Amino acid sequence: MSAPLKETAPTGGTVPPQPSAGKSSARPGEPRGEGVVLNVFSHGFLALWALLIVLPLLWLVFSSFKTDVQIGNSAFGWPHNWSFDVFRRAWDKGIGDYFLNTLIVLVFSVPLTMLFGSMAAYVLARYQFWGNRLLYYFFVAGAMFPVFLALVPLFFMVKRLDMLNTYQGLILVYIAYSMPFTVFFMHAFFRTLPTAVFEAAILDGASHTRTFFQVMLPMAKAGLISVGIFNTLGQWNQFILPTVLMQPQSGSDPERYVLTQGLIQLQQQQGYASDLPVLFAGVTIAMIPMLVVYLSFQRQVQSGLTSATLK
């Protein structure tokens, strides 16, 4: 009988040793448990943070379907009536008008903030001229300036322009207070864009305006979406500026309250005859659009926030 065949190594080499089953492939001295502990800790912290955010939102929505008696008996109980009539009542009591006023202001203030802020950031990031850094730090200082310190002079300035309780007055103030953050964010983003593309557009005969709008601005799309979401959230939730600037100046002057003002007015109008479900429904109506906007663009926001670091 012939001898059993034996596995031989290829010519000029040897068969590499195979790891035996049950043995770890980690290198000697490599820490094995640190990564697992860190992963568990980080995921646990994120889960706790998500609960702290989601649970109050769910409680707010569920409370809209309760009655005053149910809220008084058990604030954390399950609603017995799932009727959407409370949202109709909240809308009829003024939430609809407040919602419309807020949309009118944001439709103009957010795009204009993005336009002017991007143009200023582009010039400061791409062109070198005397006073460049001084002008940039002037914008950065504006982001650190508390709005409360300028309320009195701001009120008299807007009053002198005859823009109190007007949409255009609040739009201009929103743009002014959103510009510092927009310039700061977009300045860092424009500096990460490749200079070769900018120089190629100039060599091909494109004007500075065309280079900005057709070449550089589309490349900064991720940053524009990110800062646009932040400006939308900030202006949608703004309270102190509309409270000072959007008050009726006479008996014939109509009310142009935005949502944040309207919710306070809705609470004050109730008096002793409280209707908490209507108030909860109004807050829910004010909250849902921002949740939809953020959840729809969360990937773009994350991409815009990390792209400057990765490039």
Side-chain angles (χ1 to χ4, degrees):
M1 298 179 61
S2 60
L5 296 177
K6 296 183 179 179
E7 183 180 0
T8 59
T11 306
T14 59
V15 177
Q18 300 295 328
S20 59
K23 291 186 178 181
S24 173
S25 58
R27 296 178 180 178
E30 181 179 352
R32 302 178 181 179
E34 292 183 3
V36 176
V37 173
L38 181 60
N39 194 24
V40 171
F41 176 79
S42 60
H43 282 72
F45 178 78
L46 291 176
L48 178 61
W49 184 263
L51 288 177
L52 293 176
I53 295 176
V54 173
L55 289 181
L57 298 181
L58 293 178
W59 176 82
L60 177 66
V61 175
F62 288 156
S63 297
S64 303
F65 295 96
K66 297 179 182 179
T67 62
D68 285 315
V69 177
Q70 293 177 359
I71 295 175
N73 293 335
S74 177
F76 299 98
W78 197 258
H80 300 158
N81 184 19
W82 293 91
S83 175
F84 288 89
D85 181 68
V86 65
F87 291 94
R88 181 191 60 79
R89 288 191 286 123
W91 191 268
D92 294 339
K93 286 189 175 183
I95 293 297
D97 296 333
Y98 308 145
F99 192 92
L100 180 61
N101 293 336
T102 307
L103 282 182
I104 292 175
V105 173
L106 261 69
V107 162
F108 292 96
S109 63
V110 173
L112 290 177
T113 301
M114 302 304 302
L115 176 63
F116 297 147
S118 298
M119 293 172 66
Y122 171 74
V123 172
L124 293 175
R126 287 295 177 180
Y127 296 92
Q128 297 298 325
F129 54 91
W130 186 89
N132 181 298
R133 302 306 297 174
L134 180 63
L135 189 59
Y136 170 72
Y137 289 128
F138 177 78
F139 279 107
V140 174
M144 299 180 290
F145 190 81
V147 64
F148 302 98
L149 296 180
L151 286 180
V152 175
L154 179 64
F155 174 83
F156 286 105
M157 181 181 297
V158 176
K159 183 179 181 180
R160 181 171 297 181
L161 295 175
D162 198 20
M163 289 186 178
L164 288 176
N165 198 31
T166 60
Y167 296 127
Q168 59 269 28
L170 189 59
I171 290 171
L172 291 177
V173 173
Y174 276 1
I175 293 174
Y177 272 94
S178 301
M179 279 283 289
F181 173 74
T182 304
V183 171
F184 173 76
F185 188 94
M186 294 305 300
H187 178 272
F189 199 89
F190 277 123
R191 289 181 65 88
T192 64
L193 298 181
T195 307
V197 179
F198 169 78
E199 295 175 349
I202 297 297
L203 291 176
D204 288 341
S207 63
H208 295 288
T209 303
R210 186 176 181 181
T211 302
F212 171 71
F213 283 104
Q214 296 187 2
V215 179
M216 306 304 292
L217 201 61
M219 295 175 62
K221 179 181 178 181
L224 287 172
I225 293 177
S226 300
V227 74
I229 296 298
F230 292 136
N231 283 329
T232 302
L233 293 174
Q235 296 179 14
W236 183 275
N237 297 322
Q238 182 60 246
F239 173 72
I240 187 65
L241 289 177
T243 299
V244 174
L245 303 177
M246 298 296 283
Q247 297 291 342
Q249 302 301 304
S250 63
S252 60
D253 199 8
E255 294 181 352
R256 296 188 177 93
Y257 295 143
V258 296
L259 269 175
T260 51
Q261 291 176 279
L263 293 174
I264 300 297
Q265 291 295 321
L266 185 62
Q267 182 184 16
Q268 294 177 351
Q269 290 171 5
Q270 294 179 2
Y272 292 103
S274 64
D275 192 358
L276 292 179
V278 170
L279 185 60
F280 286 133
V283 177
T284 302
I285 294 174
M287 175 187 64
I288 287 178
M290 294 300 98
L291 288 177
V292 172
V293 169
Y294 182 77
L295 293 177
S296 301
F297 296 98
Q298 60 175 335
R299 293 186 180 274
Q300 288 82 353
V301 172
Q302 295 173 1
S303 175
L305 293 175
T306 58
S307 57
T309 305
L310 297 177
K311 288 184 179 182

